[in-house]
Structure formats: structure tokens, C-alpha cells
Amino acid sequence: MRQRVLALLTAMVSALALAVFLPASSASAATCGPGWTASAVYTGGNVASYNGHNWSAKWWTQGETPGTADVWADQGSCDGSSPGGGSGGSCDYPAWVAGRAYVTGDIVKYTDGKFYQAEHDNPGYDPVISTWYWEPYTCGTTPPPQGGFVVSESQFNQMFPSRNSFYSYSGLTAALGAYPGFANTGSDTIKRQEAAAFLANVSHETGGLVHIVEQNTANYPHYCDTSQPYGCPAGQAAYYGRGPIQLSWNFNYKAAGDALGIDLLNNPWLVQNDSAVAWKTALWYWNTQTGPGTMTPHNAMVNSRGFGETIRSINGSIECNGGNPGQVQSRINSYQSFVQILGTTPGSNLSC
């Protein structure tokens, strides 16, 4: 019995010694999960790391920063590098290494101190020489979601802080399927530039996505071209400007409706009552109509003719060639702001 007690006492002393002399850090922190990014969509239970902690989403979220929104539950500190976006668009990207394989979306810091993003998989080509494989990246921005619209909902809200709730992000994304080439043609730079150009023009047309219908009601009866064989069945004053591009005239409602499979000639009010329909009419004009210009705004952007050419296709001689330089500059200002939000450059030929 005495020997058993002595053995027990010896074991207790050894345990106490270990507790005293072992460093507290021996209990290692959890490994950091994928880094949080503002553009990603998270659902309940998804884990992301941010600022040295793992966070678990309680429900669906996008663009809400862990630690500042109730949707995230703190799972405690973590160690190790995060394979994802880190701190949501920080500048902590690895140095480029010649001959190291990179995949599309990788971001590196080059020897000139600038950042580049892989546009295509490559075996370590030089970013400033192989422009097919690399494009400049503005540090501090979030890459677009893979396979998705190049504008995230948080970026959209940043562009339009006072927008009318009618112009919803979900309405816009629901309309994208009607014209899959929009903001989805060419390099990532061109995709971002086209999205910014489109949104800058609709911002100008609607006062920052505030106005759904044309504000000058005196113009309403003027948009009925009675020479058309179908006339104006919804009424002479029914075809006033509506939606993001302010669609107007009976013949435009007829053409847009035919292209989209929606009877807008007889029911033009759909453009002011259905967000997705409104966005579709704007995309219809952008992708298919030259207006007073020589090409569609879509073609102007994907063929590098510049933002100025999109202005010409929308308002032509009313603004271009000295018609109204103030209005042109207003559109340019919005475009320059939006490309900055999207982390790209505006390109050339901004004015018309």
C-alpha cells in the first residue's frame, strides 16, 4: 500500500513539474483556413481566416468583413498562411519567381515593386514581358469571383451608395444571361473596363441609379413615332425614358421587346416595374445598338476603341464634338472612379 501511495505521489509531482516547465505555446493554435475575400459568397458553416483568426459564417454573406458584422462567429486565433485571399485584398502577395508554375488568378509582386495577376496558367513567365499571361493588378482590390460577374455586390454598392432599391444587384445579375458576352469577353482588364463603362453611363443617365423614369414629364408625348405600322398601342405618352439606359420611343420598346421575348410595345411599364427587365433593356441597347455612333458600346470596349466611343453610341452629337463637354466629363469622371474600384486602368480615348 505504501509503495502504491509513493508511486502516486511521484506521478503527481512529475505532472506538476511538466506543467511548470513546459511553455504555454506548446498548445498550438488552429491552422488558418482559406483567407476571407470580399467578393466571395459564404453560407452558414463556411470558415474563412481574417487578421489572424478563423471565422465561421452563421448564414449567407458577401462583402461583410469578419469582426465587423454579426454574421461572423470568431473561432479563435490561427497560425499559418492562408491559401485564399488573406485579409480581403491586402498587399501581402509573394514575390514573383522565374520558372515557378502559376495558375490563373495568382497575384505576385514583381521586382519593380508592382503587382501582377496571372491571366492564364504559365510556368513562371516574366510578368512585364508575357502580357498574354499576366496583367497589372492594383494592390488592395479584390479579384473578381471565378466564373462570375466582374463586379461584386459590395463593389456595386460602393459605386451607387444612394441608389434606388429598384436597381438591385440581383436584378442586374439575373439579366446577364440575356447577353453572356457582356463583361465576359477578352482579358480580365477588358472585362472590368466594359463593366465600368456600362455602369458609368447608366449612372449618368439615372443620376446614380436613383431615377427609374424620365423626370421631364413634358417630354412624354414626344416619344410616339406614329409613322411606325404598329403605332403606339399603349398610348401616345407611354414610351418615355425608363430604366438604367432610359429606354425611350415606341420603336425602341418594340425592338427591345422582340429581342428579349417580352411584349414591351404593349406593356412598356414592365421596364419600370421589373428590375431584371429594366437591366435587360439596358444590356440590349449596350450590346446590339449603335445609336448615333458607328458601333455598339460593347464592341467599342472589347475592341479597345475607348470609353469615349460608348458616349458617342449613346448620345452622339448632343454631347460629343463639343456638343456638351460638361456632360461628357461627368461620364468620364464616373468611369475613372469605377475602374479604380474594380482595380484596373481606364485605357485611352476617354472622350468623344
Side-chain angles (χ1 to χ4, degrees), residues 153-174:
E153 186 168 8
S154 60
Q155 290 169 332
F156 179 75
N157 291 334
Q158 185 180 353
M159 293 173 178
F160 303 104
S162 303
R163 66 179 172 82
N164 191 309
S165 60
F166 172 78
Y167 292 116
S168 64
Y169 181 79
S170 60
L172 172 56
T173 55

Side-chain angles (χ1 to χ4, degrees), residues 51-66:
N51 279 351
H53 281 237
N54 278 327
W55 302 82
S56 177
K58 300 177 183 177
W59 52 80
W60 188 100
T61 178
Q62 182 184 38
E64 296 178 287
T65 307

